[in-house]
């Protein structure tokens, strides 16, 4: 009788070509978003974005740079702990950025028929909860499987 061992926690498949392509695309998209973030106020778009957004640019920059660095790490290092660590750091920075967005709230919907502030705050709050859950999940992954 032949026994087949199922891959356990010690077995790790290297990222597929598709996954590597996804990491590369993410890097490019984040670079474009980083550039665009510094253009938004000059463009005057979207119209509901206020000058207070400039106060958030350092945090937005940090968030995008962390995401770029994590995706570079995913491309270069095939270690089991790299992905949960990167995802944990991205989510932790996301928590900080979202809390600051809620605090500064650089949106003004006064020129619209409906005040969409409640929706913007709700979306930010849901994002905050999701990022906090991601910190916990990736922390557990890092400690148990990393």
């Amino acid at each position: 009788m032949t026994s087949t061992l199922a891959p356990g926690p010690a077995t790790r498949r290297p990222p597929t070509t598709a996954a590597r392509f996804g990491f590369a695309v993410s890097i490019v998209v984040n670079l474009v978003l980083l550039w665009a973030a510094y253009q938004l106020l000059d463009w005057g778009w979207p119209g509901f974005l206020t000058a207070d957004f400039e106060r958030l640019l350092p945090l937005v920059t940090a968030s995008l740079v962390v995401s770029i660095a994590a995706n570079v790490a995913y491309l270069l290092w095939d270690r089991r702990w790299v992905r949960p660590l990167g995802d944990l750091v991205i989510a932790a920075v996301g928590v900080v950025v979202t809390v600051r967005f809620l605090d500064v709230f650089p949106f003004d919907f006064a020129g619209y028929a409906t005040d969409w502030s409640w929706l913007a705050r709700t979306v930010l709050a849901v994002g905050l909860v999701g990022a906090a859950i991601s910190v916990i999940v990736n922390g557990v992954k890092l400690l148990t499987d990393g």
Side-chain angles (χ1 to χ4, degrees), residues 5-54:
L5 296 176
T11 305
R12 170 108 165 106
R13 292 184 346 200
T16 63
T17 302
R20 289 185 187 278
F21 179 75
F23 299 146
V25 168
S26 182
I27 292 166
V28 171
V29 167
N30 280 295
L31 285 168
V32 170
L33 289 172
L34 183 58
W35 172 79
Y38 281 86
Q39 311 309 313
L40 288 176
L41 291 176
D42 291 339
W43 291 339
W45 183 87
F48 55 81
L49 195 61
T50 69
D52 283 337
F53 179 72
E54 194 166 345

Side-chain angles (χ1 to χ4, degrees), residues 2-146:
T2 309
S3 80
T4 306
L5 296 176
T11 305
R12 170 108 165 106
R13 292 184 346 200
T16 63
T17 302
R20 289 185 187 278
F21 179 75
F23 299 146
V25 168
S26 182
I27 292 166
V28 171
V29 167
N30 280 295
L31 285 168
V32 170
L33 289 172
L34 183 58
W35 172 79
Y38 281 86
Q39 311 309 313
L40 288 176
L41 291 176
D42 291 339
W43 291 339
W45 183 87
F48 55 81
L49 195 61
T50 69
D52 283 337
F53 179 72
E54 194 166 345
R55 294 173 42 200
L56 298 170
L57 275 175
L59 283 176
V60 170
T61 300
S63 176
L64 292 168
V65 168
V66 164
S67 182
I68 291 165
N71 279 282
V72 168
Y74 303 157
L75 275 172
L76 298 178
W77 294 288
D78 180 29
R79 300 287 183 263
R80 201 164 48 234
W81 54 269
V82 172
R83 187 74 188 264
L85 177 62
D87 289 349
L88 184 143
V89 172
I90 290 169
V93 171
V95 166
V96 172
V97 172
T98 306
V99 166
R100 190 72 177 131
F101 259 85
L102 283 164
D103 182 41
V104 172
F105 201 72
F107 309 113
D108 179 14
F109 298 99
Y112 296 85
T114 302
D115 181 9
W116 296 104
S117 296
W118 66 272
L119 180 61
R121 289 184 193 281
T122 301
V123 168
L124 287 169
V126 169
L128 179 59
V129 170
I133 291 170
S134 182
V135 167
I136 294 166
V137 167
N138 284 295
V140 170
K141 280 184 185 177
L142 189 60
L143 293 173
T144 60
D145 194 38

